[in-house]
Amino acid sequence: DGITAKTDLKDVANVDIVVGTANSPAELTRLRILEDVASTVLATKAPSQINTDSIESALMTLVIKGNESYFTGSGRNTVDYTMELDDVITLHMMEDGVAQTSSKEAAVQALLDTPGADNSDSNGIDTDGYSLNGAFYFTVNRVAGTASLEPSTSLLSHCPFNPPRPVDGNQLETCVTRRDVKLRDYPTRAGAVATAMEILASADPKESSKSAIDTMAEALDETSDESTFLTTILGASDYTKDLAPDFVRAIHDRYELNGRFRRAYWINPGYEWTPT
């Protein structure tokens, strides 16, 4: 919280995003990996375009890479700290990826380019939240010691949550906002496929260790939560059932996940444009 925290965030952790799937560490090296994408500066960034032709090739693995010396260094009071993914919101657009002046993509990009407000004012730290840009803002609960990511009213006017089906005069929405992680939980709609999960999730992150996650990785099979997640979004084939544990192990080998400050999450890139 405050200016110092935003300045020092990269001393604590950073984030990679892996796009696609792999059945071995060697294959993982051939995927598109966006490295160190966490930002501590509220500044405009050009979007990264990634061309894919299937949900599998667009599956996102968000990896939190905590700084080991910060979380385990002697003389620190951080030995029971964990890195947590509190909120994830994704936007799903049914456009061609070229932001024409009149398109929703252009409108959303303009909101993202709007400068954010810092979490301080003339009276000190702002007590109820602040905007990251024109599209997203944080609400802050000082009593509970929590903050949550929220879409702005302007963003929802272009990309609503859960739009109705295009019947009875309703227009088909070409941009939709979806909440994949909320307060460390994974909200789902009845009848809809899962949108996010932590891989190799520890039941007690504060007590988790690399050796414990090593054991979990070795024990993965087609009955694991990871296999269930992938088969739900990619289909229940033998290929998918085998892919899930192999891909998880490849991610684990590369990033040395430990369930406490080095953690990874799958984000389903697909969206049901006409849910039943």
Side-chain angles (χ1 to χ4, degrees):
D1 200 2
I3 306 300
T4 300
K6 287 197 294 183
T7 301
D8 295 342
L9 175 62
K10 285 185 178 178
D11 293 335
V12 176
N14 216 309
V15 171
D16 283 6
I17 296 177
V18 180
V19 183
T21 65
N23 58 21
S24 69
E27 190 170 314
L28 179 60
T29 64
R30 294 193 287 270
L31 296 183
R32 177 77 178 272
I33 300 177
L34 306 177
E35 297 182 310
D36 299 335
V37 298
S39 175
T40 58
V41 179
L42 299 182
T44 300
K45 289 184 177 294
S48 298
Q49 184 163 332
I50 301 170
N51 295 319
T52 62
D53 57 9
S54 68
I55 290 178
E56 180 185 348
S57 61
L59 179 72
M60 292 181 289
T61 305
L62 187 153
V63 183
I64 299 176
K65 306 180 298 181
N67 185 315
E68 185 171 6
S69 64
Y70 177 85
F71 288 92
T72 63
S74 60
R76 291 185 177 272
N77 63 347
T78 56
V79 293
D80 63 347
Y81 284 13
T82 65
M83 289 298 305
E84 300 288 349
L85 185 64
D86 284 334
D87 296 280
V88 171
I89 295 174
T90 54
L91 302 179
H92 300 260
M93 296 188 184
M94 196 157 51
E95 295 188 1
D96 59 7
V98 179
Q100 304 295 332
T101 303
S102 60
S103 72
K104 288 201 173 187
E105 185 172 348
V108 170
Q109 188 63 54
L111 292 175
L112 293 172
D113 291 344
T114 301
D118 219 325
N119 60 337
S120 62
D121 56 26
S122 58
N123 298 316
I125 292 178
D126 199 345
T127 58
D128 56 3
Y130 57 96
S131 62
L132 296 172
N133 46 45
F136 298 100
Y137 66 94
F138 275 126
T139 61
V140 179
N141 185 328
R142 298 289 170 190
V143 176
T146 61
S148 62
L149 180 67
E150 300 293 340
S152 69
T153 301
S154 297
L155 177 61
L156 292 178
S157 70
H158 297 291
C159 307
F161 279 123
N162 301 328
R165 297 184 65 183
V167 295
D168 300 328
N170 293 322
Q171 294 293 318
L172 174 66
E173 290 289 351
T174 58
C175 183
V176 177
T177 298
R178 189 181 75 190
R179 192 184 291 280
D180 300 296
V181 182
K182 181 177 176 60
L183 299 177
R184 307 180 188 178
D185 196 12
Y186 309 99
T188 57
R189 292 184 294 117
V193 298
T195 63
M197 72 166 293
E198 181 178 5
I199 64 174
L200 297 176
S202 170
D204 186 356
K206 285 188 177 183
E207 299 298 326
S208 186
S209 65
K210 184 179 181 301
S211 61
I213 301 302
D214 288 345
T215 301
M216 290 177 61
E218 288 300 317
L220 285 178
D221 59 23
E222 64 181 30
T223 67
S224 66
D225 291 341
E226 288 83 356
S227 287
T228 299
F229 181 89
L230 279 196
T231 55
T232 298
I233 65 175
L234 301 181
S237 65
D238 290 340
Y239 165 77
T240 305
K241 292 176 183 178
D242 292 337
L243 173 65
D246 289 342
F247 184 32
V248 170
R249 292 186 189 107
I251 291 290
H252 175 52
D253 288 349
R254 179 183 178 96
Y255 290 103
E256 298 183 332
L257 305 181
N258 59 26
R260 186 164 80 87
F261 56 87
R262 297 185 69 87
R263 304 170 71 172
Y265 303 80
W266 280 342
I267 309 294
N268 175 5
Y271 186 85
E272 294 179 276
W273 289 97
T274 55
T276 55

